[in-house]
Amino acid sequence: MSAPLDIEGPAAPPRSNGEFVFAEPWESRAFGMVVGLYEAGAFTWPEFQAALIARIAAWEALAAPGKPYSYYQLWLAALEDVLAGLRAVSPEEVTARTRALAQRPAGHDHPH
């Protein structure tokens, strides 16, 4: 992995003993999408980092008291911002795809 991930700071991914921490499987997939797209040259790391910091700052400024913080939801929103900014995907396409995926039953892609 060549992504220059911050060790500290507002954009640093959650870690435990130096290892990345993912609370849910989708978080590791979101992480992998960003790193993969970065390594494929879809965007620069500073572009993604700036979008992530902006999303974190907006959450901190606007979150309702008691609303749980989800680093990887902000990570995914930053990816959407970057891809929309590059016109790789429109916000409407992201919304439509998100709704379609949300309607799938739990465990839809796992036979057990």
Side-chain angles (χ1 to χ4, degrees):
M1 177 174 58
S2 64
L5 297 165
D6 290 341
I7 301 294
E8 297 179 10
R15 296 177 194 244
S16 177
N17 293 325
E19 300 292 326
F20 296 112
V21 174
F22 304 104
E24 300 287 338
W26 71 265
E27 294 177 348
S28 63
R29 291 192 293 270
F31 178 86
M33 283 191 302
V34 169
V35 171
L37 287 168
Y38 160 74
E39 290 180 346
F43 49 78
T44 68
W45 196 253
E47 288 175 310
F48 177 74
Q49 189 176 37
L52 179 57
I53 290 171
R55 281 290 186 160
I56 292 170
W59 186 89
E60 289 174 344
L62 302 172
K67 183 176 181 180
Y69 176 82
S70 172
Y71 177 84
Y72 283 106
Q73 285 185 344
L74 299 174
W75 175 278
L76 198 53
L79 175 60
E80 292 171 8
D81 292 345
V82 169
L83 294 177
L86 294 171
R87 300 187 191 280
V89 62
S90 73
E92 293 80 17
E93 290 172 312
V94 171
T95 299
R97 184 70 176 145
T98 300
R99 286 184 180 145
L101 291 173
Q103 292 178 357
R104 297 184 309 178
H108 64 88
D109 57 352
H110 302 283
H112 49 87

